[in-house]
Amino acid sequence: MKTNKKGMTLVECIIAMAVFAIATTGFTMVATTCMKAQAKASRRMTATNNQTTNLEHFSSYSKVLDPEYCNVKPMSTGINKFKMTFDFGTVKVENDDIYGYRSVLDPSSPDGVFELSFFSAAEQVDLAEGEYWITLYNNSSSQHTWDINCAVPGDSQVFEFFNNEHDNSIQQALPRHIWAPNGGYMKFGFKQRTPGVGDLSSCLQITDVDANPPVTYHVGLSSDNLISEDKNYCAIYFDDGEFKSAKKFEEDHKDPDE
């Protein structure tokens, strides 16, 4: 009996290796493309989540606003102010204190195609030298009524208040206002009439008229005092019976496990 011991020829081996190489190359290219697509999708999702978080911070003022960091720009030119109407059938509510914004990721980023448009009650204020935009929070569990003025002893009327439209008719005292407990806040502008002139170490006088007798606090805007400045946007928190900077407030409420 004869046995066929014939194997693969050299040509057949070369052909088989070529086919295997082509198949492997194709698989590798497909796998590489899938990995790149997955990485791009992950980057885009991360960027979108970060941008959403920034917009939440912008809208709620839970952190000091930095428009450049959030890439937030007015939705339109001019005063960028819109009027919104809410029709509840028998009652129609109008709000003409709404601002429109658009948020775009870094244009230099390959994921810069994302653009979000939104409305917010938060207004952007262009600040010049010597001007400060302040958000004052009441983080205590009780309501407070505060009178705020800048007519501190020794002040030769070098300071004044202004609103988001830079109207300084309020002058050296703000209207009496009630701050709700657990996060009630108010925003206002404060400036040196002449940039660089005036002591910022205790330039705000805040009087708690609910206390008996009323209690007066002297709050400063200097960087080594109570308020941490970032492009002249400032946040003050009333917490544990004292006024604190955003930095000190966050430190006092930091999770010890972090």
Side-chain angles (χ1 to χ4, degrees), residues 51-119:
Q51 200 69 342
T52 301
T53 301
N54 289 338
L55 296 185
E56 289 174 353
H57 289 169
F58 179 91
S59 298
S60 65
Y61 268 76
S62 60
K63 291 187 180 297
V64 179
L65 174 64
D66 186 348
E68 292 182 1
Y69 175 73
C70 296
N71 296 310
V72 174
K73 304 294 181 185
M75 190 180 293
S76 62
T77 57
I79 60 175
N80 191 45
K81 202 170 182 181
F82 299 83
K83 184 175 184 178
M84 301 188 75
T85 302
F86 306 90
D87 194 345
F88 297 98
T90 57
V91 179
K92 183 177 291 186
V93 178
E94 293 184 346
N95 189 339
D96 58 359
D97 196 26
I98 299 295
Y99 299 80
Y101 298 97
R102 53 191 290 266
S103 181
V104 185
L105 293 179
D106 184 359
S108 63
S109 168
D111 300 311
V113 295
F114 285 105
E115 178 176 328
L116 304 176
S117 298
F118 66 102
F119 291 94

Side-chain angles (χ1 to χ4, degrees), residues 98-166:
I98 299 295
Y99 299 80
Y101 298 97
R102 53 191 290 266
S103 181
V104 185
L105 293 179
D106 184 359
S108 63
S109 168
D111 300 311
V113 295
F114 285 105
E115 178 176 328
L116 304 176
S117 298
F118 66 102
F119 291 94
S120 172
E123 66 273 34
Q124 274 186 274
V125 181
D126 294 325
L127 300 173
E129 182 184 356
E131 294 182 343
Y132 304 86
W133 189 248
I134 301 171
T135 306
L136 176 58
Y137 297 92
N138 175 21
N139 195 61
S140 68
S141 59
S142 58
Q143 173 181 291
H144 285 277
T145 304
W146 291 323
D147 285 341
I148 304 177
N149 64 72
C150 53
V152 297
D155 177 22
S156 301
Q157 294 190 341
V158 295
F159 301 111
E160 66 184 9
F161 295 104
F162 63 90
N163 59 23
N164 62 298
E165 296 180 349
H166 277 80

Side-chain angles (χ1 to χ4, degrees), residues 33-49 111 114:
T33 302
C34 291
M35 292 175 64
K36 288 182 178 179
Q38 185 177 8
K40 183 177 181 180
S42 178
R43 290 197 308 269
R44 290 161 76 94
M45 182 62 70
T46 300
T48 302
N49 290 339
D111 300 311
F114 285 105

Side-chain angles (χ1 to χ4, degrees), residues 13-27:
C13 288
I14 293 174
I15 293 175
M17 292 176 63
V19 171
F20 179 77
I22 293 173
T24 303
T25 301
F27 175 79

